[in-house]
Amino acid sequence: MKFTKMQGIGNDYVYVNCFQEQIENPSELSKRISDRHFGIGSDGLILIKPSEIADFEMEMYNADGSQGAMCGNGMRCVGKYVYDYGLTDKTQVSVNTKSGIKYLDLTVENKKVKQIRVNMGAPELNPAKIPMIYQGDKVISQPFNVGENIYEITAVSMGNPHAVIYTDDVKNLPLEEIGPKFEKCSVFPESVNTEFVRVIDRKTVEMRVWERGSGETLACGTGACAVAVASILNGYTEDEVTVRLLGGDLKIFWDRKENLVYMTGPAEIVFEGEIEI
């Protein structure tokens, strides 16, 4: 199987062109290749496939083999892949995912994609659709017991469920200890990605993320979008926010008139290879 390792601000996946390759058990393959000691090393596996309703389809799997609905950083890498490897010559591309069709605008320099803007769609705030067990119409800074502590959570889905928590110190947070407690918290029936956020100013926040199925990652695109939405809802920031992640920065804009979230950032090819499967 031929593959391409790519990363979007440190959120790294193994990409497979399923126009040429056939993968019979992507869940098991994702677990195998994601191992950073015995495999290729990645946050998971992303398959680029034909689609009957969009230009392409993206199918993603986490490092533990579970299937994800959407990955913002992975989506940008898909945009770079399909253009740089000649699967399309268009700079406006549609990609189908488990959370719907996403639309990409590609910025090209010297015949290579340098930056991608993704229309991530509308944020979902209805707890039942996130999904989350809660008897109200929105979860904005509501207290919940997680483990032995109480946290104020703002809940947003951007194709994946996210719990956003604000703190004065994200750098020294014991995320390896706290993250799994949120991931398996009973109020999130499908588990949850958790973002811990410090507000720097009205246009800038920083975050760390614990992703369901992968643990702490250097970046999470849907998480950055959820953080921007949560920060706006809580009155902390303007509608356009720079989100600083461990792997780099993303620009997030919530067009509240159209109720659409836009994410802009880079994507890079790390290396190519071939393995036996």
Side-chain angles (χ1 to χ4, degrees), residues 5-8 10-15 36 41-45 270:
K5 174 78 174 285
M6 303 184 74
Q7 59 91 8
N11 200 189
D12 61 336
Y13 287 86
V14 171
Y15 293 76
R36 296 189 185 276
S42 68
D43 292 325
L45 170 70
V270 182

Side-chain angles (χ1 to χ4, degrees), residues 68-182:
M70 174 56 186
C71 173
N73 292 312
M75 177 62 69
R76 294 199 315 280
C77 289
V78 168
K80 180 173 176 63
Y81 186 105
V82 297
Y83 187 92
D84 285 13
Y85 285 98
L87 298 183
T88 186
D89 59 1
K90 300 194 299 184
T91 57
Q92 292 185 316
V93 178
S94 60
V95 181
N96 189 36
T97 73
K98 282 190 73 177
S99 65
I101 297 175
K102 309 302 177 186
Y103 298 91
L104 288 64
D105 289 311
L106 313 179
T107 300
V108 177
E109 296 179 12
N110 299 318
K111 299 182 180 180
K112 300 292 183 183
V113 172
K114 293 298 181 185
Q115 185 169 270
I116 304 94
R117 185 181 196 238
V118 183
N119 179 344
M120 298 288 286
E124 180 59 70
L125 303 177
N126 183 335
K129 295 182 178 179
I130 288 177
M132 184 180 185
I133 299 170
Y134 182 74
Q135 297 300 315
D137 60 347
K138 293 178 184 177
V139 180
I140 301 176
S141 291
Q142 292 298 312
F144 288 89
N145 285 307
V146 180
E148 302 80 32
N149 297 302
I150 297 175
Y151 297 87
E152 288 192 357
I153 293 175
T154 299
V156 182
S157 174
M158 291 299 309
N160 297 321
H162 293 274
V164 180
I165 295 95
Y166 292 90
T167 178
D168 293 331
D169 184 7
V170 296
K171 290 183 172 63
N172 297 307
L173 197 72
L175 198 54
E176 291 284 340
E177 175 187 338
I178 300 172
K181 296 178 182 179
F182 274 91

